Amino acid sequence: MWKIKQIFDGDYGCEELQPGQKTKVSVTLVDNAGNEKFVTVEDDWLTENDLDVGSEWPVGV
């Protein structure tokens, strides 16, 4: 089982999004053995799925 350890918003406002492009964030996931992996997802997707630090990561994503 993977859990969200950290969510990093790397957008500091120095680059504008292209029309239709959504804000993305980097997510650090950790499993029960302490292994980490990193994924990039749309910030809106996290909100729509009620995911935050400490949340269990959906299987298959």
Side-chain angles (χ1 to χ4, degrees), residues 39-51:
V39 295
T40 301
V41 296
E42 292 179 354
D43 190 31
D44 288 347
W45 183 84
L46 289 177
T47 302
E48 291 166 3
N49 289 282
D50 292 325
L51 297 172

Side-chain angles (χ1 to χ4, degrees), residues 8 11 24 30 38 42-43 55 58-61:
F8 176 72
D11 181 19
K24 292 191 176 186
V30 63
F38 306 93
E42 292 179 354
D43 190 31
S55 296
V59 176
V61 176

Side-chain angles (χ1 to χ4, degrees), residues 4-49:
I4 299 175
K5 178 180 178 181
Q6 182 179 23
I7 299 171
F8 176 72
D9 176 8
D11 181 19
Y12 294 105
C14 57
E15 295 182 18
E16 292 184 24
L17 295 174
Q18 298 299 315
Q21 188 178 20
K22 294 188 177 189
T23 303
K24 292 191 176 186
V25 294
S26 296
V27 180
T28 304
L29 303 174
V30 63
D31 67 8
N32 294 335
N35 298 306
E36 291 186 356
K37 69 178 178 179
F38 306 93
V39 295
T40 301
V41 296
E42 292 179 354
D43 190 31
D44 288 347
W45 183 84
L46 289 177
T47 302
E48 291 166 3
N49 289 282

